[in-house]
Amino acid sequence: MSRSLSLNMRSASRRDLPPPQKTIERLENMVEGGNYYEAQQMYKSTSARYITCQRYKEGLDILQSGASIQLKHGQVTCGAELAVLFVDTLVKGQLPYNEETFGRIRKIYEAFPRIHMPHFLGDDYDDDGQKLSEAISAAKVRAEGCSSFLKAALRWSVEFGPSRNGSPELHVMLAEYIYSESPETDMTKVSSHFVRGNDPKKFASMLVNFMGKCYPGEDDTAIARSVLMYLSLGNLRDANLLMDAMKEQLKSADLEFPKSDLIQFIKYLLQTLERDAYPLFKTLRQKYKTSTDRDPVFEEVLDEIAAKFYGIRQQNPLEGLFGDMFKM
């Protein structure tokens, strides 16, 4: 087949495709009628035809509609699959990260169900825990589905957006969903996204909430980890904003800020990093080593902080446990 004939056929196929709105309405009616699986296959095949013809906007319209309505009906696996395909289409079309594309991602994100696990615990559960087990399984599906979607969106934003760390707004959204919806809270993962975000006050609110339900001795570790992760990125401003916001929120709730040697170390560290004082930084590390040894990753993070603020490189960047903290 000649190249010109191939182009003519593609051009004809582009013209043959109808406006997507009728297709969207028909598929939405299928979902409303409970035909989730059949509609899912048609969402994928129909959008693929538009995408093959490089009619990316129409393909995105179909996928966004499909993801949103499937999620609205609690079909998380189907909705998440279409949501990831939506991001894949952004990549195929080389569409830039901007207010419009971010807004579309946010709308899909907001359609993901939110059912906080503590709401499940109570008399509604039978003695053998079957309903609780089912609820935990469903929560894992929701968390994994939304995480897959937002991680794909973050990778797209790295490639087609202005930030090499990915969209700060997307990082905050992912951190919020993981914290509120995951049956097992991974504070390291939550914090790793918040520190690449742009909302230290919201991060502070989450930490204050965590303090109300964590085990004794976990609160100061969570605070220290969060501050150190900000500092490992060279972000002294937001590390200070986080501490200030936490103090303010705890005071408003008539609660006390945790007191421990580890917290004292963090306070001294923030002051030390305001000036060129590497010898004092080394002295602090030595004096509070017993406290920082409570978490095996803290020493690596402090090495990275030394590199960021004083140009002292102990190892290759993002090695070991520290590097694992910032993986997507």
Side-chain angles (χ1 to χ4, degrees):
M1 182 183 296
S2 69
R3 184 171 182 273
S4 60
L5 180 58
S6 175
L7 290 172
N8 287 336
M9 290 179 65
R10 176 176 291 182
S11 177
S13 64
R14 285 172 64 92
R15 291 194 300 269
D16 291 342
L17 287 172
Q21 192 54 43
K22 287 187 177 179
T23 300
I24 289 173
E25 291 173 2
R26 185 174 75 253
L27 293 179
E28 285 181 348
N29 288 334
M30 289 178 64
V31 174
E32 295 286 357
N35 299 314
Y36 306 121
Y37 179 77
E38 184 180 354
Q40 183 76 359
Q41 303 314 307
M42 292 190 67
Y43 274 120
K44 292 194 292 184
S45 61
T46 305
S47 62
R49 289 201 292 272
Y50 285 89
I51 294 163
T52 299
C53 295
Q54 298 181 1
R55 290 174 62 172
Y56 298 113
K57 182 182 182 304
E58 290 96 328
L60 289 169
D61 289 344
I62 293 168
L63 290 169
Q64 181 179 349
S65 170
S68 298
I69 196 167
Q70 291 279 33
L71 291 168
K72 174 186 171 184
H73 285 267
Q75 302 301 304
V76 176
T77 301
C78 290
E81 182 184 22
L82 295 177
V84 171
L85 287 173
F86 179 91
V87 178
D88 289 346
T89 304
L90 292 175
V91 175
K92 287 178 183 176
Q94 299 184 0
L95 299 173
Y97 178 93
N98 55 34
E99 188 174 339
E100 179 191 357
T101 48
F102 170 71
R104 299 184 74 165
I105 287 172
R106 176 177 282 282
K107 284 184 179 179
I108 296 174
Y109 164 74
E110 290 172 347
F112 274 87
R114 284 161 175 75
I115 308 172
H116 301 305
M117 286 303 298
H119 295 171
F120 288 122
L121 305 179
D123 296 335
D124 290 340
Y125 285 92
D126 45 19
D127 292 337
D128 65 7
Q130 181 179 347
K131 289 185 179 179
L132 177 59
S133 177
E134 291 173 356
I136 291 173
S137 296
K140 286 181 178 178
V141 170
R142 290 195 303 274
E144 289 170 3
C146 189
S147 294
S148 296
F149 163 54
L150 289 178
K151 286 177 181 178
L154 276 166
R155 289 190 292 271
W156 159 74
S157 73
V158 169
E159 186 173 358
F160 296 100
S163 174
R164 63 185 181 88
N165 288 323
S167 160
E169 293 84 2
L170 290 174
H171 276 297
V172 171
M173 286 158 56
L174 181 52
E176 282 186 299
Y177 201 87
I178 292 173
Y179 180 73
S180 65
E181 301 302 321
S182 295
E184 297 176 358
T185 303
D186 184 340
M187 288 303 296
T188 299
K189 186 176 293 185
V190 169
S191 299
S192 76
H193 288 293
F194 261 123
V195 298
R196 286 176 285 179
N198 57 358
D199 199 337
K201 287 187 177 180
K202 186 172 286 186
F203 190 7
S205 297
M206 185 275 298
L207 284 170
V208 170
N209 178 272
F210 177 73
M211 287 170 58
K213 59 186 180 182
C214 67
Y215 291 109
E218 283 188 333
D219 50 1
D220 63 341
T221 304
I223 294 168
R225 182 190 301 114
S226 304
V227 171
L228 291 174
M229 289 174 80
Y230 267 130
L231 296 175
S232 71
L233 298 175
N235 191 347
L236 179 59
R237 183 199 66 181
D238 283 353
N240 278 306
L241 285 174
L242 177 71
M243 289 289 282
D244 291 342
M246 285 199 68
K247 291 173 186 175
E248 183 178 333
Q249 291 178 29
L250 287 168
K251 184 178 180 181
S252 297
D254 201 23
L255 298 171
E256 288 191 0
F257 202 93
K259 295 178 181 178
S260 69
D261 287 345
L262 183 58
I263 292 297
Q264 195 62 49
F265 167 72
I266 292 298
K267 290 179 178 178
Y268 285 145
L269 178 63
L270 289 170
Q271 295 172 20
T272 301
L273 295 177
E274 295 283 358
R275 50 202 175 108
D276 187 8
Y278 181 65
L280 180 55
F281 175 83
K282 284 181 63 178
T283 301
L284 275 176
R285 288 188 66 172
Q286 292 166 0
K287 181 177 179 180
Y288 288 94
K289 192 174 187 310
T290 302
S291 298
T292 56
D293 280 348
R294 285 170 49 187
D295 189 318
V297 78
F298 282 177
E299 283 301 305
E300 290 184 34
V301 178
L302 287 165
D303 286 343
E304 186 64 22
I305 292 169
K308 280 287 191 298
F309 286 86
Y310 301 114
I312 309 297
R313 175 68 64 187
Q314 301 291 335
Q315 60 178 16
N316 291 328
L318 302 182
E319 272 190 354
L321 293 172
F322 173 63
D324 291 340
M325 291 168 65
F326 287 101
K327 286 182 178 177
M328 292 285 191

